Amino acid sequence: MNFNQKNIIITGGSSGIGKATAQLLVSLGANLTIIARNQTTLDQAQAEIELVKLHQNQKFFTLSADVSVREEAENAIKRAIELLGSVDILILSAGMAYPGYFRELPIEVFERTMAVNYWGSLYCIREVLPKMVEQNQGKIILISSAAGLIGIYGYTAYSPTKFALRGLAESLRGELKPLGIQVSIVYPPDTNTPQLVAENKTKPPETKAINGMVKPWEPEAVAQDILQGIKNNQFAITPGLEIKLLNIFHSLLLSLINRYFDHVIQNFKS
């Protein structure tokens, strides 16, 4: 697939994996609208991304919206399509994580995490779908996590939201394929992003020990894998060998993985 002159919308496009993907796409000639909550961060991202344009006439826009609020998400997608003229690809990278012990996390953290990660993706998909159906083509890329393949200690507010995205993607894939719309889901490992920095502030030591098993990726490397997966029409995009194996064998390996996790956690209890 050639991304030159493709019209693409990215939520959460002002930082982390979303921004790295936006930069790569713009460098390949794509027209882009990125959506994020913070206008200051959007302005900074815009300045960086403008520098890598392949063509001076490329379209690039930013929109400030909280995708967890249905009206804001719908209006932002609607406006993005108006600005671009059409939409070829929707990449859903907006997300949040707030790790901690289940019994200590406020219920608002669970509600907010589900609102951003799951509902924020669903609202945007529903708004973009009529245009893609009209065009009889399009690609929808959901960003899940390795924690969407296996539940991880300390991520009781986060993992379920990423599992939910997996269920949504698997359910949508067959329904939308006859309409010419490709659905993909990405399972990134830990990635060096501002979100990871924020997570580490509340992450239990047991979670840090488990996550320390795998070195974090750089967002640019994840972005490369995302684009390669889009080109190949992959349903599951799995950066790195560990995630590929986890995606294929996680049910078979679950007992062994849980025993290892229990061993790691027990070291903190003894």
Side-chain angles (χ1 to χ4, degrees), residues 113-167:
T113 307
M114 184 62 79
V116 173
N117 295 355
Y118 178 73
W119 288 109
S121 295
L122 186 141
Y123 295 150
C124 293
I125 292 170
R126 283 180 60 88
E127 187 61 36
V128 86
L129 203 51
K131 188 64 176 178
M132 288 188 172
V133 171
E134 177 189 318
Q135 298 169 171
N136 198 36
Q137 67 89 25
K139 293 179 183 289
I140 297 171
I141 318 299
L142 297 91
I143 308 293
S144 180
S145 165
L149 290 169
I150 183 168
I152 297 175
Y153 187 107
Y155 280 113
T156 52
Y158 179 70
S159 278
T161 70
K162 296 300 187 175
F163 269 79
L165 288 179
R166 177 185 172 192

Side-chain angles (χ1 to χ4, degrees), residues 165-182:
L165 288 179
R166 177 185 172 192
L168 178 61
E170 290 182 357
S171 302
L172 279 176
R173 184 201 64 80
E175 184 175 338
L176 298 185
K177 186 175 181 180
L179 303 176
I181 300 165
Q182 167 76 28

Side-chain angles (χ1 to χ4, degrees), residues 44-166:
Q44 292 170 347
Q46 180 172 12
E48 294 176 36
I49 295 170
E50 291 276 6
L51 296 175
V52 299
K53 275 186 173 181
L54 185 63
H55 312 295
Q56 285 305 308
N57 63 345
Q58 275 176 259
K59 299 176 183 178
F60 180 75
F61 308 100
T62 64
L63 294 172
S64 177
D66 182 348
V67 295
S68 72
V69 178
R70 182 167 62 86
E71 186 177 5
E72 290 192 33
E74 292 172 349
N75 288 340
I77 294 296
K78 193 176 300 181
R79 180 59 179 152
I81 295 172
E82 289 174 355
L83 290 168
L84 293 170
S86 64
V87 57
D88 298 300
I89 303 172
L90 171 66
I91 300 176
L92 300 154
S93 189
M96 65 165 288
Y98 194 100
Y101 298 112
F102 178 80
R103 63 190 182 275
E104 295 177 1
L105 287 171
I107 191 64
E108 291 80 9
V109 169
F110 293 88
E111 293 171 340
R112 177 64 181 163
T113 307
M114 184 62 79
V116 173
N117 295 355
Y118 178 73
W119 288 109
S121 295
L122 186 141
Y123 295 150
C124 293
I125 292 170
R126 283 180 60 88
E127 187 61 36
V128 86
L129 203 51
K131 188 64 176 178
M132 288 188 172
V133 171
E134 177 189 318
Q135 298 169 171
N136 198 36
Q137 67 89 25
K139 293 179 183 289
I140 297 171
I141 318 299
L142 297 91
I143 308 293
S144 180
S145 165
L149 290 169
I150 183 168
I152 297 175
Y153 187 107
Y155 280 113
T156 52
Y158 179 70
S159 278
T161 70
K162 296 300 187 175
F163 269 79
L165 288 179
R166 177 185 172 192

Side-chain angles (χ1 to χ4, degrees), residues 197-263:
V197 173
E199 285 179 45
N200 287 335
K201 294 177 182 178
T202 64
K203 191 177 289 180
E206 298 91 337
T207 311
K208 289 182 179 179
I210 290 169
N211 288 359
M213 295 162 52
V214 180
K215 182 181 177 182
W217 277 47
E218 294 303 318
E220 293 77 14
V222 176
Q224 289 279 1
D225 273 27
I226 290 172
L227 265 59
Q228 191 59 49
I230 294 173
K231 286 181 180 180
N232 294 338
N233 290 322
Q234 290 174 232
F235 171 69
I237 300 174
T238 51
L241 178 61
E242 295 89 351
I243 304 299
K244 283 182 173 63
L245 294 175
L246 188 59
N247 180 53
I248 296 169
F249 298 114
H250 67 279
S251 295
L252 297 174
L253 295 174
L254 183 59
S255 178
L256 289 174
I257 292 170
N258 281 342
R259 285 170 61 185
Y260 179 75
F261 285 176
D262 290 346
H263 174 72

